[in-house]
């Protein structure tokens, strides 16, 4: 689904990504683990096109998107939930979801109804302003809004940051269902090792803008991974 070869990028003339080669298939959930400042958020921004590639290539389902702008990548099927969620606090939950249907407003109501099947908690909150939701509910809203764009691949930046464990479990369940039902590919950055192990098919370790290892969460316990990354919490 997603294929990058030797992807490079950074901020202005400051290079951060030094050659990222990544393949993420349909129905595959890939976790990215690394210490602070190693380039995790930068990688997601580069995949979404918020930062231009200074080298290498990026393709989605065989379509070269190396030079494509973020809205073109969204149209091609990449969805992005950035850190901090960025929902519209003064719009209702329903209005936030409609904003996610920009690709095709004509079918917005049907799209929202389909997406909401996976988010029973949001169904009860449709007329509430986004800003009145708890952190976890806002994360669910951001994920649901992203899915309204009918992505093939979603990029999630620290989805569990500051949210209650019951909603973390809901996010795991929802993503596993979507993977099965829609064949969604997921690339996520996360510090919560238990969450990564519950969800991911594989975990890639990033260090100073390059991948330095891969962990199979079915072979390695979360405690063992946490021991390897002593400044992470299991
Ligand atoms: P992580 O997500 O792994 O914590 P980031 O991708 O946020 O790391 O940052 C990687 C590197 O890029 C760090 O050295 C950071 O200081 C630098 N960086 C992040 N954002 C900017 C920015 N807007 N301008 C310049 N440098 C940045």
């Amino acid at each position: 689904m997603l294929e990058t070869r030797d992807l490079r990028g950074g901020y202005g003339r400051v290079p951060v990504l030094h050659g990222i080669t990544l393949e993420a298939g349909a129905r595959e959930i890939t976790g990215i683990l690394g210490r602070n400042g190693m380039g995790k958020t930068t990688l997601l921004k580069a995949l979404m096109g918020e930062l231009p590639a200074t080298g290498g290539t990026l393709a989605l389902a065989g379509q070269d998107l190396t030079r494509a702008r973020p809205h073109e990548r969204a149209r091609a099927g990449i969805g992005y939930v950035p850190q901090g969620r960025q929902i519209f606090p003064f719009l209702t939950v329903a209005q936030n979801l409609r904003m996610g249907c920009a690709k095709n407003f004509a079918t917005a109501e049907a799209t929202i109804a389909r997406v909401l099947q996976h988010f029973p908690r949001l169904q009860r909150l449709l007329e509430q302003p986004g800003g009145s939701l708890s952190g976890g509910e806002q994360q669910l809203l951001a994920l649901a809004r992203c899915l309204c764009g009918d992505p093939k691949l979603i990029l999630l930046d620290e989805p569990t940051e500051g949210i209650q464990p019951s909603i973390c479990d809901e996010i795991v369940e929802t993503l596993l269902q979507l993977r099965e039902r829609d064949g969604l590919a997921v690339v996520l950055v996360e510090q919560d090792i238990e969450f990564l192990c519950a969800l991911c098919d594989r975990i890639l370790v990033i260090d100073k803008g390059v991948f330095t290892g891969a962990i199979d969460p079915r072979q390695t316990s979360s405690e063992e991974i946490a021991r390897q990354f002593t400044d992470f919490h299991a």
Side-chain angles (χ1 to χ4, degrees):
M1 181 64 71
L2 172 75
E3 197 175 343
T4 77
R5 292 257 167 265
D6 199 29
L7 190 69
R8 290 163 189 273
Y11 302 91
R13 275 185 290 159
V14 182
V16 175
L17 304 175
H18 299 285
I20 294 282
T21 294
L22 170 64
E23 281 180 29
R27 290 198 163 75
E28 189 169 37
I29 303 183
T30 304
I32 312 274
L33 181 64
R35 296 187 171 81
N36 280 337
M38 291 301 142
K40 301 182 297 296
T41 293
T42 305
L43 171 59
L44 295 190
K45 287 182 179 168
L47 296 178
M48 193 61 222
E50 289 190 0
L51 296 172
T54 54
T57 59
L58 181 151
L60 186 77
Q63 181 185 0
D64 179 32
L65 296 175
T66 311
R67 303 274 157 244
R69 302 177 59 90
H71 69 274
E72 292 164 333
R73 295 187 195 204
R75 197 158 275 282
I78 303 182
Y80 178 37
V81 181
Q83 211 172 4
R85 278 83 82 169
Q86 295 179 12
I87 59 148
F88 300 102
F90 300 112
L91 298 184
T92 65
V93 168
Q95 289 166 335
N96 267 278
L97 292 173
R98 259 177 236 126
M99 298 297 280
C101 298
K103 234 181 189 176
N104 194 348
F105 276 124
T107 57
E109 294 313 315
T111 302
I112 291 170
R114 179 170 50 78
V115 168
L116 280 176
Q117 287 171 6
H118 294 282
F119 297 88
R121 198 187 279 263
L122 291 181
Q123 267 163 359
R124 298 189 289 274
L125 300 169
L126 287 175
E127 297 314 317
Q128 303 247 2
S132 73
L133 272 50
S134 72
E137 290 163 348
Q138 290 188 21
Q139 184 65 59
L140 291 174
L141 174 57
L143 180 58
R145 187 180 64 184
C146 173
L147 292 167
C148 285
D150 203 15
K152 301 184 182 91
L153 162 73
I154 56 174
L155 310 172
L156 304 177
D157 199 344
E158 300 219 15
T160 74
E161 196 186 24
I163 70 173
Q164 59 271 42
S166 62
I167 294 198
C168 293
D169 294 344
E170 271 180 54
I171 293 175
V172 169
E173 282 309 310
T174 305
L175 290 173
L176 290 175
Q177 278 172 21
L178 288 163
R179 181 254 293 270
E180 281 319 302
R181 205 198 62 179
D182 299 344
L184 197 66
V186 180
V187 174
L188 78 145
V189 161
E190 183 53 64
Q191 309 248 12
D192 181 329
I193 293 171
E194 283 199 24
F195 181 87
L196 282 175
C197 287
L199 192 57
C200 294
D201 299 301
R202 60 186 181 146
I203 299 170
L204 302 177
V205 179
I206 188 169
D207 191 11
K208 299 192 186 80
V210 290
F211 288 135
T212 53
I215 299 168
D216 180 349
R218 277 162 295 223
Q219 306 285 331
T220 318
S221 70
S222 54
E223 292 78 15
E224 210 171 309
I225 300 171
R227 263 198 302 279
Q228 287 178 33
F229 294 88
T230 47
D231 48 346
F232 288 107
H233 310 288

